[in-house]
Amino acid sequence: NASSQSIQKIYCTIKMIASSRHSLLKAAKQLATTRQYSATTTLNDRIVIAVGGNALQRRGERLTIENMLKAAADMAPTLAALSKDHELVLTHGNGPQVGELALERSAATFDVLGAESMGQIGYVLAQALSSAGRTTAPIICQVVVDPQHEAFRDPSKFVGPIYGAKEATALSQSLGWVMKPDGEYFRRVVPSPPPKEIIQIDAIKTILEQCPDILPIACGGGGIPVS
């Protein structure tokens, strides 16, 4: 039917850009829990779409707001069309963006940089979806994590640009960065513990329950980890 075709179309689009990072996917699963309230909307089941950070900054392109807006504009019509028939929640990755911010502001901590990247990407997605006729509400989200989780001992989230082997070794030695292979290149990795709870979940639920015409953008980058 038309609904199934619409879902298949968005799946084919999003599977190319969805983030594979564990924390983002687990946050998305929490957002996608079965609806437990009497919705005021006639929309069908909830769909959570996770847009990978690399979908907004493709490899080989400069990380600029213009390029991010262009990429967001490409996907916005499909997202807007899907939201006409389904309750939609949008989340996103932030690896390239938060890594770029870290290069610009080396003294800032990653929780602050994560919040800045959420605002930046939330704005880009909001602009693109507004042009497609959808009102959005980007939300800065914190997530509770286990401070003893092994992710802090074995970082796995890629951030920032790619480097050659020699440059990666030099950066690791001079700045203390943890570097891991990403394809044929290397990138910096930072801890990405899985979220146990989304602190702003009630705000997200309120939008879904009471403002069905507003599309929430939540838990960017998997959320800001707090203990």
Side-chain angles (χ1 to χ4, degrees), residues 17-19 24 50-58 63 68 92-97 121:
I17 61 176
S19 170
L24 177 60
V51 178
N54 285 304
L56 296 173
Q57 192 260 324
R58 296 178 177 85
L63 182 56
M68 290 170 61
H92 59 81
N94 70 340
Q97 294 81 9
I121 298 170

Side-chain angles (χ1 to χ4, degrees), residues 39-95:
T40 58
T41 173
T42 59
L43 298 179
N44 295 323
D45 290 341
R46 179 181 306 158
I47 297 176
V48 177
I49 295 178
V51 178
N54 285 304
L56 296 173
Q57 192 260 324
R58 296 178 177 85
R59 186 163 298 193
E61 289 185 350
R62 292 183 58 226
L63 182 56
T64 64
I65 294 297
E66 289 76 15
N67 282 338
M68 290 170 61
L69 283 167
K70 179 181 177 181
D74 288 342
M75 68 182 78
T78 304
L79 297 176
L82 186 66
S83 69
K84 292 180 180 178
D85 298 316
H86 299 275
E87 189 178 74
L88 206 64
V89 182
L90 192 60
T91 186
H92 59 81
N94 70 340

Side-chain angles (χ1 to χ4, degrees), residues 9 12 47 106 108 119 129 137 148 154 184 187 198 200 209:
K9 179 180 179 182
C12 291
I47 297 176
S106 59
L129 284 162
Q148 303 303 318
D154 184 21
E184 59 181 309
R187 292 175 71 191
I198 301 170
Q200 285 74 24
E209 293 174 17

Side-chain angles (χ1 to χ4, degrees), residues 131-154:
S131 297
R134 283 309 314 262
T135 300
T136 60
I139 304 171
I140 303 296
C141 290
Q142 298 163 295
V143 293
V144 177
V145 302
D146 178 2
Q148 303 303 318
H149 194 274
E150 63 180 12
F152 290 102
R153 297 184 293 275
D154 184 21

Side-chain angles (χ1 to χ4, degrees), residues 115-135:
E116 290 182 5
S117 71
M118 279 190 215
Q120 180 190 74
I121 298 170
Y123 165 75
V124 166
L125 293 172
Q127 284 286 91
L129 284 162
S130 177
S131 297
R134 283 309 314 262
T135 300

